[in-house]
Amino acid sequence: MENQKNLLFLLATLFMTVVLQAQKSDFNRQDSLRGTINEERSWWDVLHYDITVKPDFNKKTTKGKNIITYKVVEDSHGDYMQIDLQEPLHIDSIVTDDAKKLRFSREGNAWHVQNKISAGKKEGKITVYFNGTPREAVRAPWDGGWSFSKDSLDRPLMTVTCQGLGASIWYPNKDHQSDEPDNGATLTMIVPNELTGVANGRLKEKREHNDGTTSYTWEVKSPINNYNLIPYIGHYVNFKETYAGLKGDLDLDYWVLDYNLKRAKSYLPNEVHNMLDSFEYWFGPYPFYEDGFKLVDVDHTGMEHQSAVAYGNHYKPGYRGRDGSGTGIGLLWDFIVIHESGHEWFGNNITTKDLADMYIHEGFTNYSETLFIESMYGADAANDYNWGIRRGIRNDRPIIPEYGVNAQGSGDMYTKGSNMIHTIRHSINNDQLFRNILTGLNRVFYHQTVTSNQVHDYISKKAGFDYSAVFHQYLKTTQIPEIVLFADAKNNRMYFKYDNCEEGFNLPLSLVGKHTHLKIFPTTEWQSVEVSNDQYVLFSAPRIEKMYYLTPKVLNSLKE
Ligand SMILES: [Zn+2]
């Protein structure tokens, strides 16, 4: 048996090597230009974006500009800076703050801009003018771009979705997750008078022009992910309220299509207050009090656009009336309000530098659903939900793919990521500490971009146990470890070990009953522990599975 297994392992390794090499060669120069901080990107750090856009609904074209303010962060550097703007959009001209026109050349979606700056210059500004027919969203928000849609009354409704695809699908910028504009951004939309423009942060200015258009300028003060800066243009109306939160009064704003106003007023505030009660408890203060919190009506399902969350859940509990967990618990609350707002902490407050680490956004936010359920309906409901969503895990490929090429891992980053966090939480078996870890992450990495290793190291340090082998197992392999158990009733001993896992997998198991508990430290070698009669139940397979994403395997003899 053992030899056969070794042979299989060898074959599997060979197969994986071939697959990985095939994958590697699938990435091209464009992927590297987009996904790597190369020498044309590393010397400057974005301080601010000031975007103006004028979409033409009938022609499905846009034109505009982005004034990019940057800080020089490397003393010696070349004369080029890379600006990203995706085809088929086009850059017309680029002008510096001292009115100098810059030369540039296009290499696909990357633009090499010759910007020789004088030695000792600490800060600079360029204005990039663009126009053209942008890519249209195919299936927003997953396959994004500009949406030139119509609302239920057949009137224009426009927005953008671009996570993964990249903000350079609609405006010129440094399109890499590691560089957020440190001092925030402003977004001006020039629209026909009958339409209203909404964006992130707060409305700074509304100006009517004499050509039948109005410009709306919104300003966000906090650093923001490029893909979260989003225009919303339609027949919007608004209502406001405040939430008494951990950092004082938080302004809540709801921008909804005029015909939705009544049902929005009776439905949304309750969901939002429940969400904030739960998430401020588990994660700490909402991270963007300065910019307020908003929900904005859209015709796609929703997106976590910072301080202007896109809402398209039809004012119904569940995920447009469905429950991904199959338990019924997912039908008790509004999936989009909860999930997309959860990203304000994981995704928007804490952002990953590389798209490969996207599970930090999606896994933790998926787990925010479980925590929300715990706040509202208790721990049993939360555990059932987390167990229920496990049916969606495919284990098709690793959650963390290759770095540096703008690659995205398996969709398992949601439910499997969440189940891994659930697993580690029960291993720690101290909810006060677990909560301190979650609030600590949001405090220590406040408004920062991080690597998953920074997050993992923080969790291990606070938990007092090195979970790196556990993170590796769930994030970089597709094997789900077995916990192999044998009860030796005659001698009052329980035998246990891990199988179907990497050599160093060492997840400690806290097994907790009503009146008794045990903590064991299984490895891939057999170990045993003395158990009393009432402790056998701690090893029951369904019980272990609810708390841990493991496959229990109970043997009748040690020889199996
Ligand atoms: Zn999400």
Side-chain angles (χ1 to χ4, degrees), residues 178-246:
S178 67
D179 197 355
E180 299 184 8
D182 302 4
N183 303 332
T186 53
L187 172 51
T188 301
M189 292 150 281
I190 305 171
V191 301
N193 285 340
E194 63 273 18
L195 297 176
T196 298
V198 183
N200 316 78
R202 296 176 191 273
L203 181 60
K204 207 174 137 196
E205 190 184 41
K206 176 186 172 184
R207 205 144 49 99
E208 263 186 55
H209 307 291
N210 50 22
D211 61 351
T213 64
T214 302
S215 52
Y216 292 84
T217 299
W218 290 75
E219 178 178 37
V220 56
K221 300 234 187 240
S222 313
I224 183 167
N225 306 345
N226 295 351
Y227 64 80
N228 271 337
L229 258 172
I230 291 294
Y232 300 95
I233 300 162
H235 285 262
Y236 286 108
V237 293
N238 128 288
F239 67 98
K240 297 171 189 297
E241 48 156 357
T242 55
Y243 173 79
L246 293 179

Side-chain angles (χ1 to χ4, degrees), residues 101 131 170 335:
K101 267 198 154 188
N131 74 65
W170 77 275
F335 180 90

Side-chain angles (χ1 to χ4, degrees), residues 142 192 199 372 524:
W142 303 281
F372 175 78
T524 48

Side-chain angles (χ1 to χ4, degrees), residues 304 339-340 343 361-362 365 414:
E304 65 257 35
H339 178 94
E340 305 306 344
H343 278 302
H361 300 201
E362 296 303 349
T365 298
Y414 291 79

